[in-house]
Amino acid sequence: MTNSSNSRILVTGGAGFIGCQLVRALIESPAYADFDILVLDDLSGGFQDNIPVDPRVSFRRVDIRDNQLIDAVFEGSNIRIVFHLAAYAAEGLSHFIRRFNYQTNLVGTMNILNAAVRAEVQHFVFTSSIAVYGAAQVPMRDDTIPHPEDPYGISKWAAELDLAAAREMFGLNYTVFRPHNVYGEYQNIGDRYRNVVGIFMNRILQNEPLPIFGDGSQQRAFTYVKDLLQPMLAAPFTPEANGTAFNIGANQPVSVLELAEKVCDVFGVKPQLRFLPARSEVHLAWSDHSRCQRVFGKLPETDLAEGLQSMAAWVQTTGARSSSTFENIEVTKNLPASWKEPLKSDKAS
């Protein structure tokens, strides 16, 4: 990895949950001390206040679906490393917003990728998802053949395939990370369609019951956001990570019902649960991280109770966020009833 004066790192989605945590880590990392950091975000799910104030960090409000704006960002910017996190990561909702899903998560990624190839960036780090595996046997291994079951997972897998094609054709160095069920500070707890930990905490602040689809026996391994950062920062400087995809995240699965109880414990409240009809989703989803550990060494893993406590402290400081319905549902057939009409606290916001 070479660097020159005024070299930049591009972080797409840098005003969002994981992105703003990554920007903070980049600022503090000695390996990136000589780089400026350019954050792109359309603020559809993130907040400009999430971006740390630092002389090395600049921000541009850009929609990655606009290829002309993306090209203009890269022109003359001397971008050497790209961390591409911008996406709309709502697996369940993606069935009903296919056009928006593919325009944002696939076409938007292709816009960034085209510009990165033309700019001859030195490394492209892409955040995918274990949604690429679909209902695979758990734990999902890195060498499990992906078979996504929803448009969100399909878009992420297609982007991974295109990165591989770009490496073959243009010599693009890249690394893919497949995180899962990430929670922590700066999560948009007002988003009613994704991030169950944030949804639960937001409901508790508003004294509302916690919504649970089905019987709550679905199992996930919930990952504290800061546990992702070490391998992501190291990837551009790790030759073995080039052209490779890595599962990354927590190892211990819990049911959604158990999660609800743990979140309530952190807030010291008695669980109030609202059971809703089951929706179409993978029932068991967590992954094996042995490849990531082999390449990047021992990985941090924050205990779920500790991570929830840290997030709860931040949530109680920032307060509840208003929730709203997605405005451009493309298909209403089989849309969960709870997503068709606002919940009580949504009406009040």
Side-chain angles (χ1 to χ4, degrees), residues 28-143:
E28 297 172 0
S29 172
Y32 293 93
D34 295 331
F35 289 88
D36 291 332
I37 303 164
L38 174 59
V39 172
L40 297 190
D41 204 295
D42 67 358
L43 303 182
S44 61
F47 304 90
Q48 190 168 347
D49 289 347
N50 287 350
I51 304 171
V53 177
D54 187 276
R56 293 166 52 206
V57 177
S58 57
F59 167 69
R60 291 186 64 176
R61 186 170 183 174
V62 173
D63 188 331
I64 63 171
R65 294 174 296 178
D66 189 327
N67 64 291
Q68 293 182 336
L69 285 179
I70 293 300
D71 291 345
V73 165
F74 274 81
E75 187 175 354
S77 294
N78 198 23
I79 294 169
R80 300 292 82 206
I81 302 172
V82 172
F83 289 92
H84 179 42
L85 292 84
Y88 189 68
E91 292 179 52
L93 187 63
S94 69
H95 291 285
F96 309 99
I97 55 168
R98 307 181 101 85
R99 183 185 306 108
F100 177 84
N101 168 77
Y102 290 121
Q103 287 176 340
T104 302
N105 298 337
L106 185 54
V107 176
T109 297
M110 297 309 103
N111 289 338
I112 300 290
L113 181 54
N114 278 343
V117 169
R118 286 194 293 266
E120 297 184 341
V121 302
Q122 295 174 336
H123 207 92
F124 192 111
V125 179
F126 175 61
T127 52
S128 183
S129 168
I130 66 166
V132 301
Y133 296 122
Q137 181 177 345
V138 291
M140 299 164 177
R141 294 170 49 86
D142 303 277
D143 56 4

Side-chain angles (χ1 to χ4, degrees), residues 241-275:
N242 189 17
T244 306
F246 298 94
N247 293 335
I248 185 171
N251 294 295
Q252 183 60 49
V254 299
S255 71
V256 173
L257 197 58
E258 289 177 279
L259 175 71
E261 294 170 351
K262 289 179 182 294
V263 173
C264 288
D265 285 344
V266 167
F267 281 85
V269 299
K270 183 178 180 180
Q272 300 181 60
L273 307 179
R274 181 189 181 194
F275 288 92

Side-chain angles (χ1 to χ4, degrees), residues 294-311:
R294 185 176 68 251
V295 173
F296 296 104
K298 182 175 175 56
L299 303 174
E301 183 173 1
T302 301
D303 178 77
L304 180 58
E306 180 184 348
L308 291 176
Q309 188 66 58
S310 296
M311 180 176 176

Side-chain angles (χ1 to χ4, degrees), residues 86-87 105 126-129 132 151-161:
N105 298 337
F126 175 61
T127 52
S128 183
S129 168
V132 301
Y152 172 69
I154 292 169
S155 68
K156 289 293 189 179
W157 178 227
E160 288 193 35
L161 291 174

